[in-house]
């Protein structure tokens, strides 16, 4: 039974109290809401957007689409939900994911527990009352026993800091803050700054309408073909019938995708067979090119370089202009930057209205009233789109004023990079749980959410059964886990990702400490470690009763 007081409307009293308060109504927040309900706890989700969806509420830019097959990018706790929903495409667009999440919320009557258009600005732990005090931008106050962050990875966009941006007389947009109203590209001159996943997707959509599109590229990417297609009733029926088997496949795939990992080693095949395997992976589309070709593609330079050169030759064969093609060929190992998955990206540069502008050696110097200046040349635009990525993973948490024991700020705790145990808990921050927080697996998000929230539910049940009031990560366990994160990434070629400005190492944001932001040991090992930890009494976490925690507070 819940021990909380009956929650009151925040506007009627000074504050409302809940057992569990969740920040964010994306995959993580909705799954945690379900978990809290299963525990019989009072729960409230606070969401800054006007509806559910998280990333898929905010990122509604043209061409926005997942890079994961739809049947692996969903909730897994309910076969009923799976049976009642039909995915229309292999790689769903943002509208389809958004509608799916609305379906889940309405099907499970979750809206009554979600407060929209509410941005949390502060969360302070009250050691005397053993409660978290939550403050919103509108000045509302809440308290809770368990504070759960489900803010996701991509909440804080990397803002353009170009000189003169306020002087631009046209329209300019950030993809992660795209307006609800349609943007008219017909007959317009459009500049896209950035060619990561977002920039690539926007180009392939906008090029059909705009008079001219210029893509400003600093670092080229290996853009993998999506090979998207409509999903018919027969395939949907097959996926429903094999729901449990699909979950098992996802749990055992290194990045938690619905596919089978390759067991082939590069040097065990002849050169002709190697090319055949790479061709099959390329045609399969998406991340199958990485995971269904060679098992050692991320750990041996020879296998990785073969995959790189194969991709470069694909670029050269697709892009008609040789000089443009060479500019688009990356010179670093594949996967040092997360490869975008996109349909017809390279083909777009064969259109007469699309050009590539290389800004690696001569960067953008300023935004003018009419466009962008690169060196001595000025490019004129009606619309500018800054697809420059995010202050990812740690940025959303660091943007809030979160304080644990003794008023310790998360910004100080993570001054040199994130420090967690399992990416879920921190020492010095009792009863705070992170869902898809830093140092969780670099993998498909929904399965990671499922594992994390299941563990959180098990931990709370354990506390209820044993009479504990607080849970906190042990400082020594945090040290050990951080050391393990470095060991795992050092065993792969990804150890050099920071040199390419990879966002998953924090290297894309000036002044941000370069650190390992993810668990790179594979999703299955993480899932197994979490399950074993719960089964064996939550080693690496400390539990306190009210009397014990009072002693800690006064020590």
């Amino acid at each position: 039974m819940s021990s909380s007081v009956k929650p009151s409307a925040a506007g009627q009293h000074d504050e409302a109290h809940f057992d569990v308060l969740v920040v964010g109504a994306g995959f993580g927040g909705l799954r945690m809401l379900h978990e809290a309900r299963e525990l019989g706890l009072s729960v409230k989700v606070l969401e800054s957007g006007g509806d559910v969806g998280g990333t898929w509420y905010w990122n509604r830019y043209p061409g926005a689409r997942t890079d994961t097959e739809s049947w692996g990018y969903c909730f897994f706790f309910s076969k009923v939900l799976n049976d009642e929903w039909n995915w229309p495409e292999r790689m769903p667009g943002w509208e389809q994911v958004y509608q799916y999440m609305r379906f889940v919320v309405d099907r499970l009557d979750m809206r009554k527990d979600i407060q929209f258009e509410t941005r949390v600005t502060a969360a302070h732990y009250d050691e005397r009352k053993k409660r978290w005090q939550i403050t919103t931008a509108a000045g509302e106050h809440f308290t809770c026993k368990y504070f759960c962050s489900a803010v996701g990875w991509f909440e804080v966009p990397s803002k353009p800091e170009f000189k003169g941006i306020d002087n631009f007389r046209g329209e300019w947009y950030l993809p992660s803050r795209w307006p609800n109203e349609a943007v008219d590209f017909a007959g317009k001159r459009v500049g896209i700054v950035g060619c990561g996943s977002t920039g690539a997707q926007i180009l392939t959509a906008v090029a059909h309408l705009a008079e001219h599109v210029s893509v400003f590229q600093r670092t080229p990417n290996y853009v993998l073909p999506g090979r998207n297609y409509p999903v018919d009733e027969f395939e949907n029926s097959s996926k429903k019938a094999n729901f449990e088997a699909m979950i098992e496949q996802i749990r055992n795939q290194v990045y938690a995708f619905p596919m089978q990992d390759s067991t082939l080693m590069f040097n065990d095949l002849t050169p002709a067979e190697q090319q055949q395997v790479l061709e099959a992976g390329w045609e399969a589309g998406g991340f199958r090119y990485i995971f269904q070709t060679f098992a050692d593609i991320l750990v041996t330079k020879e296998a990785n370089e073969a995959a790189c050169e194969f991709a470069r030759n694909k670029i050269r064969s697709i892009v008609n202009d040789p000089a443009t093609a060479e500019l688009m060929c990356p010179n670093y190992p594949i996967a040092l930057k997360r490869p975008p998955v996109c349909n017809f990206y390279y083909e777009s540069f064969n259109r007469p209205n699309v050009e590539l502008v290389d800004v690696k050696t001569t960067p953008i110097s300023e935004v003018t009233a009419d466009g962008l200046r690169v060196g001595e040349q000025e490019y004129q635009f009606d619309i500018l789109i800054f697809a420059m990525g995010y202050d990812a993973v740690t940025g959303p948490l660091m943007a809030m004023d979160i304080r644990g024991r003794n008023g310790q700020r998360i910004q100080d705790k993570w001054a040199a990079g994130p420090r967690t145990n399992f990416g879920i808990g921190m020492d010095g921050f009792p009863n705070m749980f992170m869902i898809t927080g830093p140092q969780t697996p670099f993998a498909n998000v929904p399965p990671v959410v499922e594992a994390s929230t299941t563990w959180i539910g098990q931990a709370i049940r354990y506390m209820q059964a044993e009479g504990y009031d607080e849970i906190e990560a042990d400082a020594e366990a945090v040290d050990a886990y951080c050391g393990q994160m470095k060991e795992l990434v050092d065993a792969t070629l990804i150890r050099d990702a920071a040199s390419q400005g990879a966002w998953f190492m924090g290297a894309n944001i000036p002044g941000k400490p370069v650190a390992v932001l993810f668990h790179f040991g594979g999703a299955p090992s993480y899932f197994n470690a979490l399950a074993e930890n719960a089964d064996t009494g939550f080693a690496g976490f400390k539990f306190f009763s009210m009397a014990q925690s009072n002693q800690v507070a006064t020590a």
Side-chain angles (χ1 to χ4, degrees), residues 5 73 92 114 140 158 168 183 505:
V5 299
Y73 198 77
I114 307 173
E140 293 178 288
S158 176
F168 182 58
V183 176
M505 300 289 280

Side-chain angles (χ1 to χ4, degrees), residues 183-188 190 205-213 351 353:
V183 176
D184 182 13
F185 293 101
K188 303 290 180 65
V190 180
V206 170
H208 291 284
L209 298 173
E211 175 187 308
H212 189 82
V213 183
R351 299 177 62 95
N353 67 328

